[in-house]
Amino acid sequence: MLWINLAGMALIALIIWWFWTYQPPNIALQTGAIDIIVKDGVYQPSKIKISANKGTTVTFTRRDPSSCAETLLIPDLEINATLPLNKQVSVVIPASPQGCYAFHCQMKMYVGELIIE
Ligand SMILES: [Cu+2]
């Protein structure tokens, strides 16, 4: 009986950890190339950091055949790109002021964040 209770508590703790505290790994890069893979419902990495007032190029490679993933939108920067399957596409991020800029696919199944600081 005690073991069942302990196992149950451990499971609950694991569920709480997974859903409330677990954050997928982020990659923060200030310089150099940033490559994002579009796959399995997530941008990898989904959070990227770049320097303010300094443009950069981010490449996207779509590995998800669903057509919705084909469109990449960064509304605040007025960027709209088409990502053909399995092709690396360079997206030029213009020099921009500090802030958080969301990027996503057409239906927002894929979501990511561009942090400019
Ligand atoms: Cu989508």
Side-chain angles (χ1 to χ4, degrees), residues 68-69 105-110:
C68 183
C105 69
Q106 220 158 15
M107 291 172 68
K108 297 193 179 178
M109 296 166 343
Y110 281 88

